[in-house]
Amino acid sequence: WCYQVLCNFNHLHKTSRRMWLHWSAILRDASSAVLWTLNDNPVTQAGIESELLRNGVEAHKVKYAGHEKIWQHLHRHALADLFLDNNEYNGGTTGLDAYWAGVPILSY
């Protein structure tokens, strides 16, 4: 089975409910897509999974990355197929990390 790995490594406090609604639509429409995001907090993970379920997306469609040393963090960007920009906190450092890793960026 082959997955399309979408990523956003912004801190999750920068991601609104509206953004999760948009990302949920992508995850619902792209059956092979998973979203890889930065999180190492079980309470936050439960909130994300609740939001996904509310939007009709199964919790297994999101994968979580913990905090790593900077070189490891930069390397993992290259493993993704597409970076989903967050329209409340566009681009910035995480967008540049994806760009330098050669990952296309979807921003709106």
Side-chain angles (χ1 to χ4, degrees):
W1 186 252
C2 182
Y3 290 100
Q4 296 296 315
V5 179
L6 313 175
C7 74
N8 180 289
F9 295 120
N10 280 332
H11 290 280
L12 290 175
H13 70 272
K14 297 180 178 182
T15 307
S16 70
R17 186 169 269 175
R18 189 179 112 198
M19 200 75 251
W20 281 109
L21 185 64
H22 291 300
W23 291 349
S24 293
I26 293 169
L27 292 171
R28 273 194 320 272
D29 292 345
S31 62
S32 65
V34 294
L35 176 61
W36 192 16
T37 190
L38 185 65
N39 181 47
D40 56 6
N41 182 327
V43 174
T44 303
Q45 182 174 335
I48 290 169
E49 292 172 0
S50 174
E51 191 67 29
L52 290 171
L53 289 173
R54 184 177 12 261
N55 296 331
V57 177
E58 296 178 33
H60 75 273
K61 298 276 286 187
V62 175
K63 307 300 179 193
Y64 302 98
H67 293 274
E68 299 288 348
K69 293 181 179 171
I70 188 64
W71 66 269
Q72 292 168 314
H73 173 69
L74 294 173
H75 178 73
R76 67 178 158 200
H77 277 80
L79 302 173
D81 298 302
L82 179 67
F83 178 86
L84 299 180
D85 198 7
N86 183 330
N87 66 357
E88 284 96 1
Y89 292 88
N90 290 84
T93 302
T94 55
L96 285 172
D97 292 345
Y99 177 77
W100 289 330
V103 179
I105 299 171
L106 175 62
S107 184
Y108 51 97

